[in-house]
């Protein structure tokens, strides 16, 4: 069932021994939300652990260095930034039907949790975590502030995506007034610094880019073989999803990344009015109107055919 801010805050105040779930292929928002929530629960003296089926990328060490928390049998399971329990990856078997509270900002949330605090107008789940801290009368720590800022900055593309709200600017201003954090360094590490392998991969990705639907759709497929040749892993590709959208005249850009043999993570982006969340929902995924994704199985050609059919219907092809 859907609940509001005060109900979610009361639930968190009353819960104990909490496991906080973050989604597979973790990004700045889910990691920031997970560790910020852990800080908040720690301030109430509650045991808390943040978990993910995939390793947290090294670039987020400044958030994860405080530790994920001690191991214990949870009494409470909370999911952050997870719109569908399929996004839990290998943790789904253990926790997929045990989530008591989901905190999320994805309009495509499937309602898999007992309680869902959903604000689809929020720029990031970290924005919601900040509002919860205020509601719970928590004086957030410097570390918590850095986590919240990072989640908002990464999910808004450093405040340039359509999901950027006046409220997220206000929250950022509040954080900047209260905490002496090197925000410029966070932004540099999130958006400018890349591994050599990532830079080579971006160059190769442009070479691999294909156009369809009269140039309105671009698609890039990065196979496991290509990643191995360039010495990069999935973490190096974080943030590459917008590359296909950079070509002039493109309305929908798709990045295909091979997670394992014949299993592809699809990241879909929209430059205009096309709702890619609706497209991805038809393929078993979801997300935001301008940024969504799904997981597809099959050969490269089979997956491309699925995507072309789904997007082509919307683009009138």
């Amino acid at each position: 069932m859907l609940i509001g801010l005060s109900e979610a805050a009361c639930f968190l105040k009353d819960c104990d021994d909490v496991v906080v779930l973050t989604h597979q292929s973790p990004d700045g928002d889910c990691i920031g939300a997970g560790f910020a929530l852990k800080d908040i629960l720690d301030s109430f003296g509650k045991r808390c652990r943040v978990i993910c089926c995939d390793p947290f990328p090294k670039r987020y060490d400044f958030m994860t260095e405080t530790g994920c928390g001690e191991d214990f049998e949870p009494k409470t399971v909370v999911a952050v930034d997870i719109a569908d329990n399929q996004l839990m990856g290998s943790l789904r078997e253990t926790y997929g039907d045990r989530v008591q509270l989901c905190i999320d900002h994805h309009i495509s949330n499937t309602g898999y949790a007992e309680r869902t605090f959903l604000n689809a107008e929020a720029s990031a789940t970290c924005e919601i975590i900040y509002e919860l801290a205020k509601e719970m009368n928590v004086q957030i720590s410097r570390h918590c502030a850095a986590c919240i800022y990072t989640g908002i900055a990464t999910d808004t593309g450093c405040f340039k995506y359509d999901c950027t709200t006046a409220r997220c600017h206000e929250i950022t201003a509040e954080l900047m007034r209260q905490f002496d954090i090197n925000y410029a360094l966070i932004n540099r590490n999130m958006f400018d610094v890349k591994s050599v392998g990532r830079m080579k991969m971006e160059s190769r990705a442009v070479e691999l880019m294909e156009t369809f639907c009269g140039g309105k759709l671009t698609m890039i497929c990065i196979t496991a073989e290509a990643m191995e040749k360039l010495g990069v892993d999935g973490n190096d590709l974080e943030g590459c999803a917008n590359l296909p959208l950079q070509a002039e005249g493109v309305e929908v850009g798709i990045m295909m990344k091979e997670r394992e043999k014949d299993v592809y993570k699809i990241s879909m982006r929209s430059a205009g009015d096309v709702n890619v969340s609706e497209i991805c929902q038809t393929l078993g995924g979801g997300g935001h109107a301008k940024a969504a994704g799904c997981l597809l199985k099959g050969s490269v050609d089979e997956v491309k055919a699925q995507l072309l059919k789904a997007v082509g219907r919307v683009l009138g092809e």
Side-chain angles (χ1 to χ4, degrees), residues 117-258:
F117 177 33
L118 177 67
N119 181 0
E121 300 300 317
S123 65
T125 297
C126 277
E127 181 179 324
I128 303 173
I129 297 296
Y130 182 83
E131 304 292 9
L132 278 167
K134 300 277 279 189
E135 181 71 17
M136 296 167 72
N137 293 314
V138 172
Q139 179 58 52
I140 65 174
S141 65
R142 184 175 184 273
H143 175 263
C144 185
C147 290
I148 291 171
Y149 174 83
T150 302
I152 292 174
T154 53
D155 249 30
T156 60
C158 208
F159 308 96
K160 69 180 181 181
Y161 297 160
D162 283 355
C163 64
T164 305
T165 63
R167 181 56 182 150
C168 82
H169 280 299
E170 291 167 354
I171 292 171
T172 298
E174 290 170 16
L175 294 175
M176 287 183 160
R177 279 192 290 265
Q178 294 179 56
F179 299 96
D180 180 22
I181 295 171
N182 194 334
Y183 300 98
L185 181 60
I186 291 176
N187 288 333
R188 170 173 159 73
N189 289 334
M190 294 301 105
F191 303 105
D192 296 334
V193 175
K194 304 173 184 178
S195 68
V196 173
R198 162 68 179 270
M199 295 174 73
K200 290 180 179 179
M201 178 57 77
E202 286 190 6
S203 175
R204 178 62 177 146
V206 172
E207 294 176 4
L208 294 171
M209 186 167 65
E210 299 175 273
T211 59
F212 306 92
C213 303
K216 292 185 287 187
L217 168 65
T218 53
M219 193 181 305
I220 298 173
C221 177
I222 305 296
T223 63
E225 181 182 7
M227 286 189 278
E228 184 178 357
K229 283 183 178 179
L230 290 172
V232 298
D233 59 24
N235 291 331
D236 286 311
L237 297 186
E238 186 185 347
C240 280
N242 291 310
L243 276 177
L245 209 59
Q246 292 178 8
E248 186 177 6
V250 173
E251 294 184 28
V252 177
I254 298 175
M255 175 69 79
M256 294 172 53
K257 182 176 72 176
E258 190 174 21

Side-chain angles (χ1 to χ4, degrees), residues 298-314:
S299 67
V300 171
D301 290 338
E302 289 169 343
V303 171
K304 284 183 180 179
Q306 276 186 272
L307 292 168
L308 282 171
K309 183 179 180 181
V311 178
R313 281 197 295 262
V314 177

